[in-house]
Amino acid sequence: DQQVKQNSPSLSVQEGRISILNCDYTNSMFDYFLWYKKYPAEGPTFLISISSIKDKNEDGRFTVFLNKSAKHLSLHIVPSQPGDSAVYFCAASEGTSGSRLTFGEGTQLTVNP
Amino acid sequence: NAGVMQNPRHLVRRRGQEARLRCSPMKGHSHVYWYRQLPEEGLKFMVYLQKENIIDESGMPKERFSAEFPKEGPSILRIQQVVRGDSAAYFCASSVNPGTLNYGYTFGSGTRLTVV
């Protein structure tokens, strides 16, 4: 029962262009969504989050969009940089306090110089 | 602030042995979460603990796995009689009371368990 799905195992983009990573969820009780970045042999690092009461949240080069009716969210990175190459995980939770995270399978982003 | 510290980074155990994974949360954090990442998969929630209390263990396998977070010292994830399927990366995360997600949890670098 995969409640959070990232259907693209990998994505390759050119430096300077936009990277768009997608995530779908099935659990209607999810109301908080997060994106994590993970380098090999390291733990996930928090990038950006969004509450279900919003449809967009922006932080520098990173923007997360949420479409509740479609149960879909996306992470936009612009402009992409080679240092952005990593595995990106989408995660969701019911509430923001003391809640478990449900992760997607991850998307390997490669930004080519 | 050293962040969330996990040790060992790598652990090799033979089938049937016990594995003990340790997690020291960030200073001031009293909530600890354990997640497991099997090869080619995302992280899966295992257990959520506060000092001396297990809050949510719904993700823990029913047998052989246990976790504790004593009043003093690190949180311990214990796997008894390990099998090859236990080979995975185990990540610990910590957060301030009461575990708000607004800035995400802080994860450690993980322990990579290999069962041979």
Side-chain angles (χ1 to χ4, degrees), chain A residues 38-104:
Chain A
K38 185 179 179 304
Y39 293 116
E42 294 186 13
T45 302
F46 171 74
L47 266 180
I48 193 169
S49 63
I50 188 167
S51 165
S52 60
I53 62 174
K54 296 186 175 182
D55 55 18
K56 177 182 174 182
N57 189 25
E58 192 172 352
D59 183 1
R61 297 185 298 115
F62 302 92
T63 303
V64 56
F65 295 92
L66 175 63
N67 183 333
K68 277 188 68 178
S69 60
K71 294 190 177 67
H72 177 84
L73 65 156
S74 61
L75 174 68
H76 292 210
I77 307 173
V78 56
S80 301
Q81 300 172 354
D84 296 330
S85 297
V87 177
Y88 288 77
F89 289 100
C90 167
S93 77
E94 299 176 34
T96 61
S97 179
S99 302
R100 62 158 74 182
L101 296 177
T102 301
F103 282 84

Side-chain angles (χ1 to χ4, degrees), chain B residues 44-113:
Chain B
K44 301 278 195 251
F45 169 80
M46 298 182 76
V47 62
Y48 163 34
L49 310 104
Q50 295 178 16
K51 289 277 188 182
E52 301 183 280
N53 280 306
I54 297 175
I55 307 301
D56 180 358
E57 59 180 344
S58 57
M60 289 278 269
K62 297 293 183 225
E63 297 177 347
R64 302 187 297 108
F65 285 72
S66 62
E68 62 175 4
F69 189 15
K71 186 176 180 181
E72 301 291 338
S75 175
I76 305 287
L77 179 66
R78 182 183 178 205
I79 311 172
Q80 296 178 288
Q81 299 174 330
V82 296
V83 300
R84 288 221 170 101
D86 297 332
S87 296
Y90 292 81
F91 292 97
C92 169
S94 73
S95 65
V96 298
N97 185 30
T100 99
L101 277 175
N102 292 327
Y103 296 98
Y105 301 133
T106 302
F107 279 88
S109 296
T111 294
R112 274 127 192 103
L113 172 65

Side-chain angles (χ1 to χ4, degrees), chain B residues 3-23:
Chain B
V4 178
M5 303 300 294
Q6 288 189 250
N7 64 82
R9 290 295 304 271
H10 300 275
L11 181 62
V12 179
R13 284 287 177 265
R14 295 186 184 279
R15 282 179 294 169
Q17 290 185 319
E18 178 180 288
R20 281 183 177 244
L21 289 64
R22 288 177 291 278
C23 169

Side-chain angles (χ1 to χ4, degrees), chain A residues 1-6 24-26 102-105, chain B residues 42 44:
Chain A
D1 177 22
Q2 189 66 25
Q3 298 184 61
V4 177
K5 284 196 68 65
Q6 295 176 253
D24 298 292
Y25 63 96
T26 57
T102 301
F103 282 84
E105 309 94 322
Chain B
K44 301 278 195 251

